[in-house]
Amino acid sequence: MKEIRRAENAGFCFGVKQAIEKAEKAAEQNPGEIYSMGSLIHNERVTKDLEKKGIRVIESLDEIEIPESDEETSYELAGPKVIIRSHGEGRALYEKASAQGIQLIDATCPFVARIHHLVNDTDKQVVIVGDRNHPEVLGISGWCTKPAIIVSSYEEACGIAEDDLFVVTQTTIREQMLQDVLRALEDQGKKYQVNNTICNATSRRQESCEKLAQDSDLMVVVGGKNSSNTKKLYEISKKNCANSYFVENIDDLPLKEVAKCNRIGIAAGASTPECTIKEVIARMSDVTLENNELNMNDLMDEIEKSLRLPRGGEIVTGKVHQVTDKEVIVNLGCKKDGILPISEVSLEEGQTLADAFKVDDEIKAKVIKTDDGDGGILLSKKKLEISANWEEIVKALEDKTVLEVKVTRPVNGGVIAEYKEVSGFIPLSQLSDHYVENAEEFVGQTMEVRVSRVDQRRNRAVFSHKLFLNEEKDKLVAEIWENLNVDDVVEGTVMRFTDYGAFVDIGGIDGLLHISEISWGKLKHPQEVLSIGQKINVKVLSMNAEKGKISLGLKQNQPEPWSVIDENYQVGQVIEGKVVQIKDYGAFVELEPGLDGLVHISEVAHKRVGNINDELEIGQIVQAKILEIDKDRKRISLSIRETIEPPTEDEAQEADAE
């Protein structure tokens, strides 16, 4: 049995449909000739239909005869009107049109317009991946702040000399072309930022064509000979089904070959009208209607659709028939109209239904009831948005991605946070990575969260800001470990003390500064020289990633005193120091941390000292003269006696008498 199957995604895309609707509307509202900058879309049939409606194709604004101004005629009516086709145009054309008083009807595909904004907002070198002669690529290039580089293959991309690149794509190219170019940039070691601007509709159309071609005996690709995206569909089809044909209309059909095959696939480009696709299908069918516009299966589908009413919860598509202050009437293509009340629409402050919806707009909504009481089908945009929001939340849970929510009110045990139209719960323990006593301080805040649990049946979602913070902290810690090396000197903050040292935060990781590594001198406790919150420069002494431990040093930032002893001290020099230790045979005086000298008991005073504690005490500041420096044994001999005047004979006799 002969089977004719149509690719799931075929025919007009959103951008093309929008361009045609704008052109037809302009032709209806403006009697006389309207111009189109190049063919509105790459399809001869559409171009001829538009010509009949008064739309003339031009290749340059210079082809337009500018009428002389008439004060009695409004500017809006007097100025020539030019349609910017879906492929878009460069900035220069807009400027020229403005200078000549030409009114533009901009039908640029929204996805193409987005690329214009991207390249216009960057100072980097723009690289456009696509066909350098395609009007879309020429239009994109016209919005770049400096000449763009256009490539379409690995070899061309290898010839790029510039660096720090900003990569965008023609919307209709194959994904493989982009990947080939990116591979070339990687191989050349180029720095680049990529914006994959291939249209999703293009990708879906190519994927459905490939899938259908793999399971067909014969493939027919319908579209204009000059259509870039249709040519690519034909290439894909030919690769997967050798028996493939590129046809522009029914006259090109290989009917003899069609008669030999049972499984026939139909694919169509984004600029191919629906009527052309149906004519091709009808011509290849065994039974056709007289006007060749629909085959019997199409007709039965249309009849069945008109009789069947959508069920509650079903998502439907229709066209706006009428807009009032309180509701929107929607033609759903069945025997009942859809009613979309204002209460089921999310409007911005001050916005009305008339602002949001226009007659003939195509909209999607969710069916609430198949009968609203007045014979209509009750619809809701809000519930459709909520369904989409739930899908996003579920996907975020599965993919472990981050969502941005706004905290709206406190509740028992936590807060309620809104993600678009969906409310979720954040437990008090998940609001922060530290203890939270009062949840009200978070109300009004926007925060990033991870989804920890979803129960869509009961409309419940649980979020966690703490999980997000911990993940960010883990990333930061991992980055620090990756970039930190032994002997690096980094700034840290003293966080807490122990008897054996201090813990120092070095940007997200705590390292141990052992008491022996704080000073070249001896310390009883770190707080003798440090304070909580103090900023210090520390040296990384050792790292153990497996145990997550880092050892730090502070004294290493200063030279070891004995290594520079000759620079700072000489025999005969008088120094000031602190008594740090007392023995029976003398006292140790600290010249500086890590450098002590001994004052022998015989060098304390000019008299005989029996008990040194009678003369000196711990912590006392004294002056002493350096008698000897023994670098090999690391010893310094000091004398206090040499710094004080000797007693007179009377004073000596008096002292002896005592």
Side-chain angles (χ1 to χ4, degrees), residues 24 28 95 114 149 159 187 198 225 242 248 260 297 347 355 389 448 467 573-574 637:
E24 290 178 339
E28 289 175 7
E95 294 172 348
R114 174 176 171 266
I149 298 172
D187 292 348
I198 299 174
K225 296 296 184 182
E248 195 161 13
K260 300 176 185 176
N297 289 332
L347 296 174
D355 296 328
N389 298 158
E448 290 166 301
L467 274 176
Q573 180 180 348
V574 175
S637 297

Side-chain angles (χ1 to χ4, degrees), residues 127 129 151-160 167 169 173-188 192 194 198 239:
V127 174
V129 183
V151 295
S152 60
S153 66
Y154 176 91
E155 292 73 20
E156 288 181 357
C158 285
I160 297 175
V167 182
T169 66
I173 65 167
R174 295 192 67 183
E175 179 73 26
Q176 187 59 50
M177 182 186 292
L178 173 61
Q179 296 307 319
D180 288 345
V181 169
L182 296 183
R183 182 163 52 87
L185 298 182
E186 291 284 352
D187 292 348
Q188 299 298 312
Y192 65 87
V194 62
I198 299 174
K239 183 177 179 181

Side-chain angles (χ1 to χ4, degrees), residues 6 84 201 213 268 306 350 408 470 588:
R6 175 173 170 171
I84 302 295
S306 67
T408 55
N470 288 341
F588 287 94

Side-chain angles (χ1 to χ4, degrees), residues 9-61:
N9 296 282
F12 282 170
C13 66
F14 170 78
V16 168
K17 186 181 294 185
Q18 174 188 265
I20 292 175
E21 287 176 353
K22 284 189 175 183
E24 290 178 339
K25 185 175 181 180
E28 289 175 7
Q29 296 178 348
N30 299 278
E33 198 167 52
I34 297 177
Y35 304 93
S36 170
M37 275 303 302
S39 298
L40 194 68
I41 61 173
H42 286 148
N43 186 275
E44 187 177 346
R45 177 172 184 165
V46 173
T47 300
K48 288 181 178 179
D49 287 344
L50 293 174
E51 282 179 358
K52 293 176 183 177
K53 295 179 180 181
I55 298 175
R56 172 188 160 196
V57 176
I58 59 173
E59 299 301 328
S60 169
L61 295 181

Side-chain angles (χ1 to χ4, degrees), residues 539-584:
K539 187 174 185 177
V540 179
L541 303 181
S542 66
M543 300 172 62
N544 188 326
E546 292 182 0
K547 295 183 178 180
K549 293 183 178 180
I550 297 177
S551 296
L552 305 172
L554 179 62
K555 69 183 184 181
Q556 287 78 5
N557 293 328
Q558 300 292 331
E560 196 276 325
W562 276 102
S563 67
V564 291
I565 189 73
D566 291 337
E567 298 176 19
N568 298 325
Y569 301 99
Q570 294 85 35
V571 173
Q573 180 180 348
V574 175
I575 58 91
E576 185 176 82
K578 180 173 68 174
V579 177
V580 293
Q581 194 175 12
I582 295 177
K583 300 289 186 181
D584 291 339

Side-chain angles (χ1 to χ4, degrees), residues 193-250:
Q193 175 185 341
V194 62
N195 295 272
N196 187 343
T197 48
I198 299 174
C199 177
N200 289 335
T202 298
S203 302
R204 291 194 297 269
R205 186 175 285 102
Q206 292 175 354
E207 289 168 4
S208 61
C209 174
E210 182 176 33
K211 183 178 178 182
L212 183 60
Q214 290 170 349
D215 191 39
S216 298
D217 300 326
L218 179 142
M219 278 291 292
V220 175
V221 180
V222 188
K225 296 296 184 182
N226 296 323
S227 169
S228 173
N229 72 87
T230 309
K231 289 178 182 177
K232 290 179 178 63
L233 290 180
Y234 177 66
E235 292 171 7
I236 293 170
S237 179
K238 191 72 175 176
K239 183 177 179 181
N240 292 276
C241 177
N243 201 15
S244 293
Y245 297 88
F246 191 154
V247 304
E248 195 161 13
N249 50 52
I250 56 176

Side-chain angles (χ1 to χ4, degrees), residues 593-618:
L595 195 64
D596 295 346
L598 174 64
V599 179
H600 192 269
I601 192 170
S602 62
E603 294 294 336
V604 172
H606 285 285
K607 64 181 181 180
R608 183 179 179 280
V609 177
N611 186 353
I612 196 170
N613 289 294
D614 294 336
E615 305 294 331
L616 299 172
E617 62 182 23
I618 300 294

Side-chain angles (χ1 to χ4, degrees), residues 2 154 222 262 276 321 323 344 348 410 450 479 608 645:
K2 192 181 295 294
Y154 176 91
V222 188
N262 290 325
T276 300
H321 177 67
V323 181
E344 294 299 328
E348 297 178 3
R450 278 278 310 279
E479 186 177 344
R608 183 179 179 280
E645 291 289 333

